[in-house]
Structure formats: structure tokens, C-alpha cells
Amino acid sequence: LDLTAETINLNSGTIDTGAGNQTFNGNVLLGAATTVDGADVTFNGTVDSPDGFVLGTDTSPVVEKFNFDGSGRTTFITGIAQGVGTGLAFDSAGNVYTGENGDDLRKFSPTGVDLGLFAAHDAVGGRVLGLAVDPSGNVFTAIALGSGSQDIQGFNSAGIELFDSVDLEPGANGLDVAIASNGNVLLAVSSGKVLEVNPLTGALIGTFVSGLTGTEGVDVDDDGNVYVLNNTGGVNIKKY
């Protein structure tokens, strides 16, 4: 299909080309529930959606930068491998880490220059959903392996693997990671728990919190308070 002038309006659903290539030369308006999935999907025309998200000329993920008040939107990073870009974290020097191609990690300089592949993960079908960097520059990833399985992986500042721990919480996906004030890693899993993990070995220390409905995010402020994004059908944030 080669659309040279027409405008396509998609309110929901998936643009799926399977193993084939797809070129859209006309304008494309994507609804909020629309996703793009396939090999070599190319958009040569204008691609936009009601919330203002612009894909540009292809479907490669980008990192956008805003001023503290939400103004001044600019494209900060391009060059993330085509696929699903997930997870975002900064080290103390201002370098940026992001997931790409599912479960690989890519590193960018503080000015957005591509520094290359930081680390590759060998999980089949895995997807990075959370990233965190500790004060020493060690990088930790929460990876959903699908079908109720999770992985947490640690790398030192040079990208050398420290550990790779699978299924610390059987039957749950790994959704996010954060660094606790004591240096341990907090892993949010889909079973309604936040686990505490040894940052050197990946061993499970214990359960930091349990009994939640859907722990989809975790973060720690400068005072050591822990915030958990809990999906209860609505969304609420719990503080510990």
C-alpha cells in the first residue's frame, strides 16, 4: 500500500505489516489507542495524534525534552533502534540510558550524542520497562519476559554484567526499578509487591511492600522516601 495524498484517520487498532514493508506518503492521524507494529514501517507524510505526539518520518523512538514548566518541547535524542524504546534514566554525569529493541540498553551523552550500545540482554522476547542508575554508575533494569515472568539485571558503569536474576517473584512481570537510600535496588512487580534486591549479587533480600493492586512504578526522592505507582482501576501513588 502506497498512499500518496490521502489522509488516514485511525481512531484505534494496530498498523501491522507483519514481515512486509509499509510506506505511508499521505498524512496519518493516529488515535490514542493506535499502535504501529511491523517491519520497516515508513511515514513520509505528516504523522500526528490528538495529544500532539509526532512520530516524524519513521517509527524509531525519540527522547523529547521540556523545560521545567512543560514548555520548550524539543527532540533531544534520536537514533534509538527501531522498535519499542522503553525506560529512561540518567547517571550522575548526565548521561542518558534507554532501552531499545526490547531488552538492549543504549547510552547517550548529556547533549544527546549517541555513545553506542551500553549492554545487550540475551532474553528472548524480553522488554525493558524500568531503568535506574545508582551513585556509582551501576545500571539496573526491570525486564518483563512475558507470561508472568520477570528479570532484573545489573551492570557496572562500563556495561559489564553484575548479575542476571530471573523470577525473584514467580508469576509476575517486572515493571520498574529504583535505588533505595540504603543502596539496595527496589523492583516493582505486577503481583502488587515491591521487592528489595542486593545490588551486587541480584539476590532477593525481602519484600519492601506487598498487598497492593498493581505496582506499575517505583521511585525514591532525595530524602529517601519511596513512592509507588499503584494501579487500582484508577491510579494512586503511595508514599513510604
Side-chain angles (χ1 to χ4, degrees), residues 150 152 163 165 167-170 184-185 187 189 193-199 201-208:
Q150 95 285 149
I152 179 171
F163 63 82
S165 298
D167 283 349
L168 295 179
E169 174 74 3
N184 292 332
V185 182
L187 171 64
V189 293
K193 296 180 181 180
V194 175
L195 308 179
E196 191 166 0
V197 179
N198 186 300
T201 66
L204 178 64
I205 296 174
T207 299
F208 177 78

Side-chain angles (χ1 to χ4, degrees), residues 142-193:
I143 299 174
L145 300 179
S147 301
S149 182
Q150 95 285 149
D151 189 4
I152 179 171
Q153 194 168 19
F155 302 91
N156 67 15
S157 59
I160 297 173
E161 184 182 286
L162 298 173
F163 63 82
D164 186 357
S165 298
V166 178
D167 283 349
L168 295 179
E169 174 74 3
N173 280 319
L175 300 178
D176 201 8
V177 283
I179 309 301
S181 59
N182 62 4
N184 292 332
V185 182
L186 300 176
L187 171 64
V189 293
S190 60
S191 59
K193 296 180 181 180

Side-chain angles (χ1 to χ4, degrees), residues 45-122:
T46 299
V47 182
D48 207 350
S49 68
D51 64 2
F53 176 68
V54 179
L55 292 174
T57 57
D58 60 35
T59 57
S60 299
V62 299
V63 175
E64 295 189 325
K65 182 178 180 179
F66 298 82
N67 296 329
F68 69 93
D69 61 357
S71 66
R73 172 182 175 180
T74 59
T75 298
F76 180 58
I77 290 175
T78 59
I80 302 172
Q82 196 158 351
V84 180
T86 51
L88 188 69
F90 293 81
D91 64 20
S92 59
N95 296 305
V96 185
Y97 301 81
T98 183
E100 68 171 10
N101 271 344
D103 53 15
D104 293 337
L105 298 181
R106 199 161 198 87
K107 183 177 180 179
F108 298 85
S109 76
T111 59
V113 176
D114 187 356
L115 301 179
L117 187 68
F118 177 74
H121 189 270
D122 58 2

